[in-house]
Amino acid sequence: MALDQVQEKAARHVDGAAMILAGPGSGKTTVITHRIWNLIRENHIDEKKILVITFTKMAAKQMQERFLKLCNKSQSEVVFGTFHAIFFRILKTVFHYHANDIIKEQEQWRFVKNQVSFHAISVQDETSLVTEILSEISKVKAKKIDIQNYISFSCDETVFRCIYNEYQHMLRQEHKVDFEDMMIITLEVLKNKKDVLSDWQNKYDYILIDEFQDAAPVQVQIIYLLCENHNNIFIVGDDDQSIYGFRGAAPSVMKDFITIYPEASIYNLNTNYRSNRYIVEMATRLINHNQDRFYKDLQAFHSYGDKVDIKQCKYVEDQNQYIMDIIHQWREIAILTRTNSGAANVIKMLEYQGIEVQSSMNKEDLSKHWITLDIAAYIKIANGSRKRCDYLRIINKPYRSISRDYFTDDVVYLEKIKMNINQKECKDKQKELCQLEQDIKFLQNMTTYAKINYIRKGMGYEKYIKNYCNEQNIDSKPFINILDHIQECARKIPSYNEWMQSISTNKKDENKILKNTTYQDTKYHVQVCTMHSCKGLEFDNVLLIDVNEGMIPYSKTDTKEEIEEERRLFYVAVTRAKQRLFISYLKKRYDRTLQPSRFIRELSDSP
């Protein structure tokens, strides 16, 4: 497709700073690739002098492929890379870093998970907690926040500081760096070693950065240093699509650019070539409610299309039926959720209906699911375990009003704890502990299958799951399906170890248990992902589910800045749709009345 007038002007920009404000679907990748080709073909710039920075390896690869296709080449000396790849090259030159010096995600995950266990943090979903703690560690380091002044939202701030300091100590002990360290060290090197800075400033004469709104402050400072000699910096971004505040990014980076480069040329890509006009109009009304932003007059290239369908569903079951009706009608659709757990729930529901789902989310290993670990802890205690970590896992599942403070020793003796409770005259707690002791004795002579059944029904664990789901505003059915599956795995396997192994390896049996054959014989193309992970993607048909207050904007958001980021996240989700957009929200979840998200109203109301 030929470039429009604004795209052509941006692509022909040569010297000096430039900012391209690229709304969703406005052809930013096209502008970047054409600009590179114009520099080489028309201005005779040496390919090796051009650096293109993106945020992911996949984006860098796709950008390079688009460029090679445009100029009809099989290879090029233009450098396409991520921020981290460029920083690593600098540190490799100065400190002779190797790939093994960078800590792997699995190592980070394992360390924080062990810290969570060590500090005995009470949590239902350990996976979500570890993810939140790692995100906060990244945010603290990327923004250079004093850890003593940081208030954690994932866990007690004293505990978070301990985990953060232990994490930093571990990195030093093992001579490792994480991505945030790479940024900080690179900045320090360029500031303090003038010869290194000069070498890298002379290496590239033209630097282009994609998705600039997602850059962390340290990354921006490094780029500005590299561009000091020539100021040939070409940034492409959209402050309305800045959704990674938890990583240290902020939309203000776009306005700050104008302060740093007051003479910069600004090009507004205001034509959306992706979505129909109803989607574009609604998205524009929504994002105009944000105040701290560049105003954009986004117009749809496609004047035709279906209107946006907004559906109130009384219960979760009604929303599930709405999802199935849309899938059955349109065959191809992307279902977007606010949270990972929301995506996991809809994936399980669809698999139960016999629909194969494409998702970027890792396939869950049920042996590591918190429900499986809870059941396993009960069984280990019944089989003789006296480990503190096993008791802490189950002591209030279901709720028994027994404080974790009674479990101070690594080896647990219930008689000693009952004595401590008796001395404090806590009769209700002692009664609960006596009942737990009787239940554990009752479990001892059962098969694994019978143990799980008694834990679920006799001890009230299944009721605890339903109450937990009610409190979290999530559907309990997928969790009950997990309980069904792990119990079914134990039907013919009396050994605890063999049972645990069967849960993680018997994927085919899992599908047999969970699937319904209603839609199994018809081919559908269904993708499920979170609103964060859908950025950069586009789909013909999009369905946004659970669009309720407390879900989007998320319940943990309080400040004006946080609400604006949630609005930007919803804006990103809405603008993924090309032809059709469906939005559903719940009226009730169980017996709790819910409110539709304020963003639904804002789709139709002008600010």
Side-chain angles (χ1 to χ4, degrees), residues 153-371:
F153 65 81
S154 60
C155 59
D156 178 80
E157 57 196 65
T158 303
V159 173
F160 177 78
R161 289 187 193 120
C162 288
I163 294 175
Y164 178 88
N165 290 328
E166 285 298 320
Y167 173 76
Q168 291 294 86
H169 178 71
M170 177 271 293
L171 290 177
R172 291 192 295 271
Q173 286 288 100
E174 299 188 11
H175 305 288
K176 299 272 190 179
V177 293
D178 57 20
F179 287 138
E180 285 69 37
D181 290 330
M182 287 173 59
M183 290 191 297
I184 294 167
I185 297 171
T186 301
L187 180 59
E188 291 174 351
V189 165
L190 295 178
K191 281 184 173 180
N192 300 321
K193 293 182 179 292
K194 299 302 180 184
D195 57 330
V196 176
L197 175 60
S198 179
D199 286 345
W200 281 88
Q201 285 176 335
N202 294 328
K203 200 174 193 65
Y204 303 109
D205 291 338
Y206 294 87
I207 298 179
L208 301 86
I209 303 111
D210 189 23
E211 304 286 8
F212 191 74
Q213 77 279 347
D214 294 332
V218 177
Q219 293 171 325
V220 172
Q221 290 179 60
I222 293 171
I223 293 301
Y224 288 164
L225 282 174
L226 295 180
C227 295
E228 270 184 349
N229 282 357
H230 50 69
N231 288 337
N232 289 328
I233 176 172
F234 187 90
I235 68 163
V236 182
D238 181 6
D239 54 337
D240 289 335
Q241 297 186 70
S242 177
I243 60 173
Y244 296 117
F246 59 90
R247 295 180 188 169
S252 58
V253 70
M254 302 291 289
K255 286 191 173 181
D256 292 343
F257 180 84
I258 302 301
T259 303
I260 301 296
Y261 300 100
E263 303 300 322
S265 300
I266 302 176
Y267 303 93
N268 289 281
L269 305 185
N270 283 334
T271 302
N272 182 309
Y273 293 95
R274 175 190 299 152
S275 308
N276 77 44
R277 72 181 183 92
Y278 297 108
I279 296 170
V280 172
E281 288 170 1
M282 278 195 160
T284 301
R285 284 194 289 268
L286 168 76
I287 202 62
N288 280 344
H289 283 78
N290 275 5
Q291 297 175 6
D292 186 19
R293 59 186 288 266
F294 284 102
Y295 174 76
K296 305 170 192 72
D297 184 23
L298 204 61
Q299 301 294 321
F301 180 78
H302 303 291
S303 59
Y304 53 86
D306 294 353
K307 292 185 177 181
V308 177
D309 185 65
I310 300 176
K311 174 79 170 179
Q312 181 194 70
C313 299
K314 190 171 183 179
Y315 298 112
V316 172
E317 293 77 11
D318 300 316
Q319 181 173 259
N320 289 342
Q321 186 58 54
Y322 180 60
I323 294 171
M324 296 308 302
D325 290 343
I326 293 172
I327 292 173
H328 189 60
Q329 181 178 6
W330 297 109
R331 311 277 174 170
E332 294 187 10
I333 193 161
I335 302 171
L336 310 183
T337 67
R338 171 61 180 84
T339 63
N340 284 317
S341 60
N345 288 341
V346 75
I347 288 171
K348 287 185 176 69
M349 185 276 291
L350 292 171
E351 288 181 341
Y352 180 80
Q353 295 291 346
I355 292 180
E356 293 186 5
V357 178
Q358 180 181 340
S359 176
S360 60
M361 297 178 65
N362 293 328
K363 192 71 175 179
E364 188 172 39
D365 182 353
L366 286 184
S367 67
K368 297 177 182 178
H369 194 281
W370 58 272
I371 291 178

Side-chain angles (χ1 to χ4, degrees), residues 405-435:
D405 295 338
Y406 288 112
F407 296 81
T408 56
D409 300 326
D410 291 337
V411 179
V412 173
Y413 295 97
L414 291 183
E415 287 297 329
K416 180 180 177 181
I417 294 175
K418 282 196 296 183
M419 188 180 302
N420 289 337
I421 291 176
N422 187 43
Q423 289 174 352
K424 294 182 179 180
E425 298 182 353
C426 300
K427 294 182 180 180
D428 290 340
K429 293 181 181 180
Q430 190 179 51
K431 182 179 178 181
E432 291 278 13
L433 199 60
C434 288
Q435 182 62 52

Side-chain angles (χ1 to χ4, degrees), residues 18 91 98 126 128 145 150 172 187 200 224 231 269 296 303 342 354 391 413 492 499 524 546 567 579 602:
L91 297 181
H98 297 283
E126 188 177 62
S128 294
I145 301 172
Y150 181 72
R172 291 192 295 271
L187 180 59
W200 281 88
Y224 288 164
N231 288 337
L269 305 185
K296 305 170 192 72
S303 59
Y391 275 93
Y413 295 97
K492 296 181 180 179
W499 166 71
Y524 300 94
D546 295 331
R567 187 177 286 111
Q579 298 179 16
E602 291 174 0

Side-chain angles (χ1 to χ4, degrees), residues 546-564:
D546 295 331
V547 186
N548 288 90
E549 287 289 313
M551 187 59 73
I552 178 90
Y554 199 47
S555 56
K556 291 184 178 181
T557 56
D558 297 313
T559 66
K560 172 181 174 288
E561 291 74 19
E562 289 171 337
I563 294 296
E564 290 208 345

Side-chain angles (χ1 to χ4, degrees), residues 472-490:
Q472 297 295 316
N473 283 332
I474 55 179
D475 187 8
S476 65
K477 186 178 292 183
F479 296 97
I480 302 304
N481 284 340
I482 290 173
L483 276 171
D484 290 340
H485 173 59
I486 63 177
Q487 184 173 355
E488 190 65 25
C489 285

Side-chain angles (χ1 to χ4, degrees), residues 30-52:
T30 299
V31 168
I32 293 172
T33 53
H34 276 75
R35 198 243 175 172
I36 300 168
W37 186 222
N38 286 336
L39 288 175
I40 297 167
R41 182 182 58 181
E42 298 184 10
N43 297 279
H44 311 293
I45 304 300
D46 185 348
E47 292 187 7
K48 296 192 294 293
K49 290 289 190 177
I50 301 173
L51 171 63
V52 184

